[in-house]
Amino acid sequence: MRHNKKFNHLSRTASHRAAMLSNMAVALIKHKRITTTVAKAKALKKYVEPLITKSKEDTTNHRRVVFSYLQDKQAVTELFKEISQKVADRPGGYTRIIKTGYRKDDAAPMCFIELVDYDENMEKVQKKTRTRRSRKAAAATEAPAAPAEATAPEAPAEEAVAEETAE
């Protein structure tokens, strides 16, 4: 029975799991997006988001704590200089998991995990989407203009029908 076992062990020993998550976190910080299995991505999300939260406050103690998890000076420097400034106003949810399908060999569900503030393509998509309420408001403001546009194309069609009957 799995009573009180809150995290996914990923079929690995504790040392292997810690090393794997550390390496994946460093790769995520350096490359801003990595492709992995869904189970590993979910485990990585729980691992890396508290580290990003710690990087918001640049103190010696927080740097040492983050370095104890990552073991990579360049990744720690990038986390505290660049990433922490981009996520300074975000209250959480620094990563996004997007499922991409299944791996060909063993049919494992695959995904990519990325830092939210670094994907320009998703920002464009999110800016275009609106809430339901704003669609109603936009439709109400555009409603008076719609009948004027609808009557304009109908007039040439009626003229064409009149010309055909005259001939």
Side-chain angles (χ1 to χ4, degrees), residues 6-51:
K6 303 273 185 191
F7 63 95
N8 192 346
H9 295 279
L10 301 171
S11 299
R12 287 162 173 79
T13 61
S15 59
H16 185 188
R17 189 171 50 252
M20 181 191 67
L21 290 172
S22 175
N23 290 334
M24 289 174 68
V26 168
L28 180 64
I29 289 167
K30 286 185 178 178
H31 301 292
K32 311 301 186 265
R33 175 190 284 184
I34 58 172
T35 303
T36 183
T37 62
V38 173
K40 287 180 187 176
K42 287 179 180 179
L44 179 61
K45 188 172 189 165
K46 286 184 178 182
Y47 185 87
V48 78
E49 290 208 1
L51 299 180

Side-chain angles (χ1 to χ4, degrees), residues 119-130:
D119 188 20
E120 293 81 20
N121 296 332
M122 291 301 285
E123 288 176 6
K124 291 176 187 174
V125 171
Q126 289 176 352
K127 287 179 184 175
K128 291 180 183 178
T129 60
R130 296 178 181 169

Side-chain angles (χ1 to χ4, degrees), residues 100-140:
T100 58
Y102 296 93
R103 189 161 49 198
K104 190 174 183 180
D105 292 340
D106 59 354
M110 298 296 289
C111 67
F112 59 82
I113 180 170
E114 64 185 1
L115 295 175
V116 171
D117 294 321
Y118 280 90
D119 188 20
E120 293 81 20
N121 296 332
M122 291 301 285
E123 288 176 6
K124 291 176 187 174
V125 171
Q126 289 176 352
K127 287 179 184 175
K128 291 180 183 178
T129 60
R130 296 178 181 169
T131 61
R132 185 174 212 141
R133 180 171 289 170
S134 65
R135 273 190 241 140
K136 287 181 183 176

Side-chain angles (χ1 to χ4, degrees), residues 42-60:
K42 287 179 180 179
L44 179 61
K45 188 172 189 165
K46 286 184 178 182
Y47 185 87
V48 78
E49 290 208 1
L51 299 180
I52 296 173
T53 302
K54 282 184 181 19
S55 73
K56 287 182 173 183
E57 187 179 340
D58 192 3
T59 62
T60 305

